[in-house]
Amino acid sequence: MANSKYWNEKIETMHAEELKNYQLKKLKEQAAHCYENSSFYRKKFDSVGLKPQDIRSLEDLQKIPFTVKNDLRDNYPFGMVTVKPDKIVEIHASSGTTGNPIIGAYTQSDMDVWSELMARSIYTTGGRRQDTIHIAYGYGLFTGGLGFHYGAQKIGTKIIPASGGMTQRQIKLMKDLGATILACTPSFAVYLAETMAQEGIDPRRDLKLKIGMFGAEPWSNKIRERLENDTGIQAFDIYGLTELCGPGVSVECEEHDGLHIWEDHFIVETINPDTGEVLPPGEEGELVFTTLTKTALPMLRYRTRDISKIETAPCKCGRTHARMMRVHGRSDDMLIIRGVNVFPSQIEYAVMCFSELATQYLIVVDRPGALDTFVVKVELSEKASKDPNLNVKALKGEIQKRIHIVTGITAEVEIVKPGELPRTEGKAKRVLDLRKGKM
Ligand code: DLL
């Protein structure tokens, strides 16, 4: 049971060696479950002459072939499910818009684990029974809304299941109902903060918010600084994906130095995304997860395409579970512009260096002729837009220089008025690639 600091002290502070032994025991069980109950996994094992009993150490995990997103798409909807259909109690799906959706199927035991991990994650950020959590992640097939709901329910927190949309109404509800925790995407949090400013609401004076739990999309420390400054809350990063459960795979503790991966339920590896080679901790690469306790749709060596690095050194908070550094992008988010690799997070970093700018930005890439065009649209902050001494031309030049420093290529910078770029209530869209079909 939870004491003042940990939701589950024994598990969260388990000695590293003990945690490894526990993982190995669970890995053997999960591999056997997959082999026995899924023709998909049996074929994977057989293709490399592997049997579940060959998994004798954690290093042996590397003998199992990777599982990729297309495996899930190709086996849609239930081809990779490893339990009888009547054992499935809930289904979610990720937000992709084309092709077969990626499905998350849960048994009751999977639901219990997910709720437990979400309760642990909320508790880690300081959420307690006395809190009121305003959940503005979408409810429905997306795992954000309900994932937070189940975790908060387990803690006993008062829940406001606001879901997405109706920004002004959300602010009124947060104010009137005394929300102390805000859970939503970082881009929606920025939008809420902007709207509050426009409506003359001072979050420090008019609201009781103290914790923000932001995830489901990449966001930078610069956005954290802005959000914390604008609202007075302490912002925490939370990560997860439908294929593993939803939110609750990892979360930041009060040290804000990486997200603790709940290693009693997941094994993490980082690999070189081009070669598949396993990288040592500390080296940046693609995150690969193996579930240890999932029963309906277990994932063995699942390639997430998310780029990060792992920190195994002890954390000051006392938790022994490894940390992943912020995901700053996905391998498939990477743009190749005029032959140069560009991540949207690099642009975000450059943009956030300027206090004259709001946090919104949009990258527009096109190929009208032989060459790529690369436009970065940025927005002036309300304050800067009212400054009569602002030299827009000089500012543009500075932004362009900064983008060149971080990416190595020159962008055309367009500065637009506050509020002109599109806002989203869910995951932000930062890139408009108009080259598709012109390549
Ligand atoms: O986004 C689950 C979630 C909901 C996480 C609410 C956190 C909060 P999917 O829709 O399946 O699930 O999208 C998963 O979103 O592979 C990452 O690329 C990205 N992502 C999720 N959390 C973060 C984060 C949910 N904290 C995909 N930082 C993942 C960066 C994130 N990217």
Side-chain angles (χ1 to χ4, degrees):
M1 205 50 234
N3 69 13
S4 61
K5 174 155 177 175
Y6 306 105
W7 173 253
N8 187 330
E9 182 164 5
K10 184 166 173 294
I11 298 273
E12 289 170 52
T13 62
M14 194 182 253
H15 192 275
E17 212 45 46
E18 201 187 334
L19 190 54
K20 284 212 158 66
N21 291 337
Y22 178 81
Q23 284 187 320
L24 179 57
K25 177 172 161 279
K26 290 287 170 192
L27 173 62
K28 287 178 179 172
E29 287 170 15
Q30 186 91 111
H33 172 73
C34 289
Y35 192 79
E36 281 155 26
N37 298 293
S38 146
S39 56
F40 168 83
Y41 279 119
R42 196 164 331 116
K43 267 190 223 143
K44 283 230 169 199
F45 274 64
D46 290 347
S47 72
V48 291
L50 189 69
K51 294 270 179 279
Q53 53 274 26
D54 297 332
I55 309 284
R56 294 193 194 93
S57 68
L58 286 179
E59 287 67 43
D60 287 338
L61 173 65
Q62 294 183 22
K63 295 179 180 160
I64 303 176
F66 294 119
T67 305
V68 296
K69 233 169 241 296
N70 274 345
D71 290 330
L72 281 158
R73 291 220 167 89
D74 295 345
N75 290 285
Y76 172 85
F78 299 128
M80 284 173 65
V81 166
T82 53
V83 292
K84 296 215 167 65
D86 67 346
K87 294 278 180 231
I88 293 174
V89 298
E90 192 159 320
I91 291 175
H92 285 268
S94 72
S95 45
T97 47
T98 52
N100 285 338
I102 300 281
I103 288 258
Y106 307 72
T107 60
Q108 189 53 52
S109 141
D110 296 333
M111 292 302 295
D112 294 344
V113 168
W114 187 23
S115 310
E116 174 70 18
L117 292 186
M118 274 311 297
R120 202 194 281 177
S121 300
I122 297 170
Y123 201 90
T124 298
T125 67
R128 298 292 180 269
R129 201 178 55 76
Q130 303 75 9
D131 278 301
T132 299
I133 184 166
H134 183 97
I135 303 175
Y137 285 108
Y139 276 63
L141 286 171
F142 176 52
T143 52
L146 283 165
F148 271 86
H149 195 96
Y150 298 137
Q153 235 168 14
K154 191 146 189 153
I155 296 179
T157 312
K158 190 184 290 153
I159 300 171
I160 316 297
S163 195
M166 297 190 293
T167 312
Q168 265 113 344
R169 196 178 164 81
Q170 298 233 12
I171 295 169
K172 178 174 168 53
L173 286 175
M174 280 197 277
K175 189 165 163 249
D176 297 347
L177 308 179
T180 53
I181 305 174
L182 169 62
C184 64
T185 58
S187 46
F188 190 51
V190 167
Y191 188 26
L192 283 167
E194 280 174 359
T195 311
M196 284 187 221
Q198 278 158 13
E199 312 234 312
I201 293 172
D202 174 355
R204 283 187 174 78
R205 183 194 62 206
D206 304 324
L207 272 71
K208 294 200 180 115
L209 282 180
K210 52 176 190 169
I211 295 169
M213 292 188 71
F214 305 133
E217 63 185 8
W219 57 300
S220 59
N221 269 334
K222 293 266 182 199
I223 295 232
R224 182 208 299 277
E225 277 165 31
R226 292 250 183 134
L227 272 172
E228 292 189 336
N229 277 338
D230 290 352
T231 62
I233 58 174
Q234 203 184 343
F236 293 85
D237 195 359
I238 175 157
Y239 169 86
L241 50 157
T242 313
E243 299 89 311
L244 299 182
C245 63
V249 173
S250 64
V251 73
E252 269 181 357
C253 64
E254 71 275 16
E255 299 298 327
H256 300 285
D257 190 14
L259 292 78
H260 288 283
I261 299 163
W262 300 127
E263 288 188 289
D264 48 331
H265 295 276
F266 307 102
I267 296 181
V268 65
E269 300 168 273
T270 27
I271 62 164
N272 175 325
D274 300 322
T275 62
E277 174 207 357
V278 175
L279 302 171
E283 263 187 51
E284 190 166 273
E286 178 180 343
L287 295 177
V288 172
F289 285 97
T290 296
T291 61
L292 294 175
T293 52
K294 272 188 82 178
T295 53
L297 205 39
M299 289 290 127
L300 300 182
R301 304 197 83 204
Y302 184 70
R303 289 187 61 162
T304 61
R305 303 182 184 172
D306 292 328
I307 304 292
S308 175
K309 61 182 175 191
I310 302 300
E311 176 59 77
T312 49
C315 179
K316 287 201 199 97
C317 76
R319 291 181 185 82
T320 47
H321 296 229
R323 285 165 287 157
M324 53 184 261
M325 295 301 128
R326 269 161 180 286
V327 170
H328 65 68
R330 301 165 57 95
S331 53
D332 49 357
D333 270 353
M334 188 184 77
L335 292 158
I336 303 178
I337 307 174
R338 295 177 211 138
V340 176
N341 298 348
V342 177
F343 277 102
S345 58
Q346 291 175 301
I347 306 299
E348 177 168 313
Y349 173 79
V351 170
M352 293 304 123
C353 290
F354 295 90
S355 59
E356 298 90 337
L357 299 181
T359 53
Q360 300 292 332
Y361 64 98
L362 183 69
I363 302 165
V364 186
V365 196
D366 199 359
R367 189 174 292 167
L371 267 189
D372 291 332
T373 55
F374 172 30
V375 180
V376 177
K377 294 189 180 193
V378 293
E379 237 180 42
L380 278 185
S381 69
E382 284 285 349
K383 192 166 161 227
S385 71
K386 291 181 188 128
D387 178 359
N389 299 321
L390 182 76
N391 182 337
V392 176
K393 198 164 164 230
L395 177 63
K396 218 183 210 185
E398 287 304 313
I399 300 169
Q400 204 166 34
K401 235 191 262 167
R402 180 64 64 140
I403 292 176
H404 193 273
I405 291 169
V406 293
T407 64
I409 53 173
T410 306
E412 192 185 316
V413 174
E414 239 178 71
I415 302 183
V416 302
K417 289 200 213 85
E420 235 175 67
L421 292 178
R423 266 54 173 174
T424 48
E425 282 142 8
K427 302 190 187 214
K429 246 195 125 22
R430 307 290 195 193
V431 178
L432 195 59
D433 194 341
L434 303 168
R435 296 173 299 181
K436 303 212 166 100
K438 296 182 185 171
M439 311 266 210

